[in-house]
Amino acid sequence: MEKGNILIKNASEIVTCSGFKAKAGKEMSDLKIIPDGAVIIEGGIIKAAGKSDKILEYFKDTSNYQVIDASSKSVLPGFVDSHTHFVFGGYRAEEFCWRLNGVSYMEIMQRGGGIINTVKATRSASKKELYNSGMKRLDSMLSLGVTTIEGKSGYGLDCETEIKQLEVMDELDRAHPIDVVKTFLGAHAVPEEYEGEEDKFIDYIITEVLPVVAEKKLAEFCDVFCEKNVFSVEQSKRLLLKAKEMGLGLKLHADEIVQLGGAELAAELGAVSADHLLQVSDRGIKEMARAGVVATLLPGTAFSLKEPYAKARYMIDNHCAVALATDMNPGSCFTESIPLIFALATIYMNMSLEEAISSLTINGAAALNRAETIGSIDVGKKGDMSILEFPSYKYIPYHLGISCVEKVIKNGRVVFDKERKGEKICW
Ligand code: NIG
Ligand code: FE
């Protein structure tokens, strides 16, 4: 049997999410479902998708294929988690408990905790330690149907540690079935050695760190925490313009705690995505829609910080392309849970289930500039998909907080199988 050759047949439905670019507004509701479907993956690439009887009629010799009978099961594209900070040292369970007692995320940060706490632990962690903990988190994501993620640096805030984080992600990308897309977030916080000197720190990132990242091709995107008491719109713009000049795509942590104008900046610079957006202005939303910036919403973070959810409904009704992601990180949202994100988006954010699925597939791919190669079950795309243990995608939020994913297929190979009780499948 050839590697990367799979025939999935008799599926109760193939939720194709068909498309090759971000879906905006109403387009997000159409999942382009094929009932009684089959998919052929050859050499890791999708070769055909259609009605089972039609596909099987033309496709008789299955000797070179792993054949999976998906009767009474739904098939979906692999999920794309387009915003994570999954490589880090140490944990911050203490801070979580302080937050439960009413201390705010920004207060903890101003007291020298928060991101800086993780920076200390990440600076002192060995590459091996970061690799091992990152690997476990990837395993957990894979079991939930995730086949591509974005991972950010930002817990180094110095050249050596930022590079260390990005190199660990690079190694994990090669060693694990999940594809890891790397983002440089050197301006994630002001380190102690630059306290009160934000401009000088941005200068340092621009002159000393960014050129190394760009030259070694260690990241595809540059991100910045554009927030009151972190980096201003002007400082963020200065950094992002340099990053653009050096060939990186742009992302922003924008308008998360305070309405600062991050979304408007994202639109002005042609960023690929603006993320968080809990406090975004209506003007910012309209400008993002016009400029084609993907609005990446992170409801796990709003939930964990007890902040109001982003205005997903208003964004979609105003023709934005919305993506959803976990924001997996040790502070504001320590979770890999795709089921949690589905629950929050559909129950609290007024998103339909169809919109939520588009947000975690084709629009997640678009938020990583990859809508042409992943995020849907379309001929020519990577053979990345999952098979649910239920006949319909409607079971996803209905089975509250529990993953419905039975098998995960990456590049045409089964890389996770619930029935094999979590045993690690060789990659
Ligand atoms: O996306 N807001 C800034 N950055 C992360 C949190 C990082 C942390 O607290 O460690 C976020 O929420
Ligand atoms: Fe984040």
Side-chain angles (χ1 to χ4, degrees):
M1 192 189 306
E2 299 287 326
K3 278 187 177 167
N5 286 5
I6 287 187
L7 163 64
I8 303 172
K9 62 177 187 180
N10 303 330
S12 56
E13 59 181 20
I14 311 281
V15 180
T16 67
C17 300
S18 178
F20 293 85
K21 59 181 177 55
K23 293 192 182 177
K26 284 197 176 72
E27 293 169 343
M28 290 176 64
S29 303
D30 187 0
L31 295 180
K32 303 198 185 296
I33 293 174
I34 304 171
D36 306 318
V39 182
I40 297 170
I41 308 172
E42 216 174 83
I45 302 292
I46 300 170
K47 276 277 143 36
K51 287 274 195 197
S52 257
D53 49 0
K54 283 264 162 350
I55 298 268
L56 295 174
E57 194 181 310
Y58 290 102
F59 196 76
K60 296 235 158 55
D61 181 11
T62 58
S63 52
N64 264 327
Y65 293 76
Q66 178 180 355
V67 179
I68 300 175
D69 190 325
S71 300
S72 302
K73 295 173 202 289
S74 172
V75 178
L76 280 94
F79 295 128
V80 181
D81 189 349
S82 62
H83 182 138
T84 87
H85 310 244
F86 81 105
V87 170
F88 55 84
Y91 290 97
R92 284 157 41 204
E94 276 300 311
E95 290 181 10
F96 183 78
C97 294
W98 297 344
R99 290 213 311 276
L100 293 181
N101 289 324
V103 188
S104 79
Y105 178 76
M106 289 312 268
E107 270 168 332
I108 293 171
M109 191 166 176
Q110 272 144 28
R111 288 182 197 172
I115 294 171
I116 295 302
N117 203 336
T118 301
V119 168
K120 287 180 192 146
T122 308
R123 284 182 180 178
S124 60
S126 68
K127 264 184 141 178
K128 192 74 199 148
E129 284 163 344
L130 294 177
Y131 179 93
N132 288 343
S133 55
M135 182 63 94
K136 281 195 189 140
R137 291 169 202 141
L138 287 176
D139 283 345
S140 154
M141 292 166 176
L142 187 71
S143 73
L144 302 171
V146 174
T147 48
T148 302
I149 68 160
E150 181 252 22
K152 300 175 194 292
S153 67
Y155 292 124
L157 313 181
D158 63 21
C159 194
E160 187 190 331
T161 320
E162 288 292 311
I163 302 291
K164 177 170 77 177
Q165 264 193 286
L166 292 168
E167 284 178 348
V168 166
M169 281 187 251
D170 209 47
E171 285 171 32
L172 286 168
D173 175 44
R174 276 180 267 124
H176 196 276
I178 290 184
D179 284 329
V180 180
V181 179
K182 301 182 297 304
T183 293
F184 170 57
L185 178 55
H188 192 196
V190 185
E192 280 174 344
E193 59 275 22
Y194 280 90
E195 217 179 297
E197 299 183 301
E198 290 78 13
D199 272 311
K200 245 175 120 178
F201 179 63
I202 292 286
D203 289 341
Y204 164 71
I205 293 288
I206 288 177
T207 56
E208 310 278 331
V209 194
L210 185 61
V212 184
V213 171
E215 210 219 318
K216 291 188 165 187
K217 295 202 184 318
L218 277 171
E220 209 170 307
F221 295 98
C222 180
D223 195 345
V224 55
F225 190 10
C226 179
E227 185 63 54
K228 185 173 170 216
N229 293 328
V230 192
F231 298 107
S232 66
V233 170
E234 292 70 31
Q235 288 159 346
S236 304
K237 182 170 176 178
R238 201 149 62 80
L239 168 62
L240 293 175
L241 280 174
K242 273 285 168 214
K244 195 173 182 177
E245 222 176 271
M246 294 187 197
L248 279 84
L250 308 184
K251 289 177 166 285
L252 284 93
H253 280 65
D255 301 315
E256 179 181 355
I257 316 282
V258 171
Q259 190 179 108
L260 216 62
E264 288 85 338
L265 178 63
E268 180 191 331
L269 299 182
V272 175
S273 74
D275 304 26
H276 283 289
L277 304 169
L278 304 183
Q279 304 292 342
V280 66
S281 70
D282 292 354
R283 199 184 95 194
I285 291 173
K286 285 171 188 156
E287 289 186 14
M288 283 197 307
R290 210 181 37 239
V293 178
V294 176
T296 301
L297 308 185
L298 312 163
T301 311
F303 178 62
S304 164
L305 297 181
K306 298 191 196 175
E307 296 280 345
Y309 294 96
K311 295 192 282 184
R313 190 70 269 135
Y314 184 84
M315 291 178 191
I316 296 172
D317 292 344
N318 281 279
H319 319 293
C320 263
V322 167
L324 285 163
T326 60
D327 195 20
M328 200 296 169
N329 76 72
S332 63
C333 189
F334 183 42
T335 188
E336 304 90 325
S337 181
I338 296 293
L340 174 66
I341 303 305
F342 269 111
L344 296 174
T346 54
I347 299 170
Y348 285 117
M349 293 170 82
N350 268 323
M351 291 177 75
S352 69
L353 175 51
E354 291 74 17
E355 289 165 345
I357 288 177
S358 295
S359 301
L360 275 155
T361 54
I362 185 69
N363 282 3
L368 299 181
N369 265 341
R370 278 169 170 67
E372 288 180 10
T373 51
I374 56 171
S376 68
I377 301 181
D378 274 307
V379 172
K381 286 200 179 186
K382 282 190 180 209
D384 296 357
M385 53 198 78
S386 59
I387 302 177
L388 306 188
E389 56 194 349
F390 292 111
S392 160
Y393 68 91
K394 292 182 178 146
Y395 284 72
I396 293 177
Y398 165 55
H399 200 186
L400 264 184
I402 297 291
S403 174
C404 298
V405 171
E406 184 178 277
K407 286 185 176 57
V408 180
I409 295 165
K410 175 72 192 169
N411 292 327
R413 297 174 65 184
V414 177
V415 287
F416 170 80
D417 193 338
K418 214 181 216 175
E419 280 168 358
R420 286 165 70 176
K421 297 208 173 62
E423 137 202 2
K424 201 156 180 176
I425 297 174
C426 201
W427 175 239

